Amino acid sequence: MQETMMALRAHARGGPEQLVFERAPVPVPGPGEALVAVHAAAITFAELGWDLSWTTKDGKDRTPAIPSHEVSGTVAAPGPEVTGLSAGDEVYGLIEFDRDGAAAEYVTLPAAHLAARPRSVSHTEAATLPLAALTAWQALSDYAALEPGERVLVQGGAGGVGGVGAYAVQLAAILGGTVTATGSTRHRDLVGRLGATTFVASGASGAAVYGAAAPAEYDVVIDTVGGDVLDASYQVTRPGGRLVTLSAPPSAEKAAARGVHAMFFVVTPDAAELARLAALVDEGRLRPIVSQEFPLAEGRAAFESATRPRPPGKTVLLVR
């Protein structure tokens, strides 16, 4: 096994300007971990602003740090005490945010956080799922407990935080919800193809413009945008309904005034749920959405592209 690899690393906290494509040590899997040869890694533009991208859970600096927490690849070597995984298995997974990510030729993560990747799509497409689709699934299933026939509003139905919106639209429809999505008018057709039966255009602030008519009252609202959009979400959630926010914790006062059960969470790795998502992809029911592709060597440019117009979906680094 080679001792070094190429990786995208930052030696000091900051934005894309800190990222350097350079040689780094190949990580060694510990007990219960697997070494994965990375084929594709999806990025989340906001991740360079997260504390855990730079520190351990107890706040200690862990630079140089490697970004990108969504991986699709091949098991290179199971670590000690790992069962059920073999070298050559094609897998995908969500890497915890306080660990080095997958913007490298190799990455280690707990074997229990890996699932067999969907085989009907490419590694590039599979890499778009572990954070964005898993967040959408956990928001709808684990937190909102969506029931068939309920009315669902996805704020930012073509993207939002981490590209979650497009998966929230699809999964809400798969789970039997009647889906309305908000967003830019240029995304109207896309969210319709993803499963939204109604589209509401957003104004300049990002909040939906409902016009003179009173807004519908939804059983479940998934806010993938935050800010003014979150502020507007309380009034369109029915009393007793569930509002799940992904960008920031909700206001307890605003939720109580409306009688809304408001929740905030951060996605956690879950291999069983990843296996379910892979099955939905292979059944042709869930569609991965790739926005852009960059070779790993151009990883800094990939992060810098956050400031430019781009198609909906996840930006993916191609590694091998």
Side-chain angles (χ1 to χ4, degrees):
M1 181 68 191
Q2 65 191 70
E3 296 182 353
T4 63
M5 64 179 182
M6 296 306 297
L8 186 69
R9 299 202 297 179
H11 291 261
R13 186 167 184 155
E17 75 283 351
Q18 298 290 348
L19 295 172
V20 180
F21 182 59
E22 63 184 5
R23 193 156 292 280
V26 172
V28 177
E33 296 182 342
L35 178 69
V36 174
V38 180
H39 287 254
I43 68 173
T44 300
F45 292 120
E47 68 182 270
L48 298 181
W50 301 340
D51 286 341
L52 285 180
S53 293
W54 307 101
T55 68
T56 61
K57 288 180 180 176
D58 59 2
K60 296 178 181 177
D61 179 88
R62 61 176 189 84
T63 54
I66 299 174
S68 180
H69 296 274
E70 298 174 272
V71 61
S72 183
T74 304
V75 174
E81 303 173 16
V82 171
T83 59
L85 275 184
S86 301
D89 288 349
E90 295 197 16
V91 294
Y92 79 139
L94 174 65
I95 302 164
E96 292 176 300
F97 303 128
D98 64 334
R99 299 177 66 102
D100 276 340
E105 292 181 306
Y106 293 93
V107 66
T108 58
L109 68 161
H113 295 172
L114 291 167
R117 77 171 186 90
R119 299 305 293 270
S120 61
V121 298
S122 66
H123 281 287
T124 302
E125 292 168 298
T128 70
L129 299 164
L131 189 152
L134 190 59
T135 298
W137 179 269
Q138 291 179 0
L140 290 160
S141 182
D142 300 348
Y143 287 87
L146 176 64
E147 295 288 340
E150 289 192 306
R151 298 163 298 176
V152 183
L153 175 66
V154 179
Q155 299 274 36
V161 174
V164 174
Y167 291 111
V169 169
Q170 294 183 77
L171 290 169
I174 289 169
L175 291 169
T178 300
V179 185
T180 296
T182 70
S184 168
T185 54
R186 68 181 183 277
H187 297 145
R188 179 190 301 269
D189 291 343
L190 171 63
V191 297
R193 292 193 299 272
L194 296 179
T197 57
T198 305
F199 177 82
V200 179
S202 300
S205 70
V209 179
Y210 293 94
E217 294 183 346
Y218 295 93
D219 301 297
V220 172
V221 175
I222 307 295
D223 169 42
T224 75
V225 182
D228 290 341
V229 176
L230 173 56
D231 288 341
S233 294
Y234 301 97
Q235 293 303 313
V236 295
T237 308
R238 69 165 173 82
R242 290 92 75 202
L243 167 62
V244 184
T245 75
L246 304 180
S247 62
S251 163
E253 293 76 16
K254 291 178 181 178
R258 182 68 177 171
V260 168
H261 182 39
M263 298 161 274
F264 169 78
F265 77 101
V266 176
V267 64
T268 55
D270 190 307
E273 292 180 332
L274 283 175
R276 176 62 177 144
L277 293 170
L280 290 172
V281 172
D282 287 338
E283 292 165 7
R285 301 174 66 194
L286 181 64
R287 170 187 166 190
I289 302 178
V290 177
S291 172
Q292 310 172 99
E293 301 174 9
F294 289 82
L296 178 60
E298 298 176 15
R300 176 173 170 174
F303 276 93
E304 289 172 340
S305 73
T307 61
R308 300 191 296 273
R310 60 193 181 278
K314 295 287 291 190
T315 294
V316 180
L317 303 178
L318 308 180
V319 181
R320 55 165 55 80

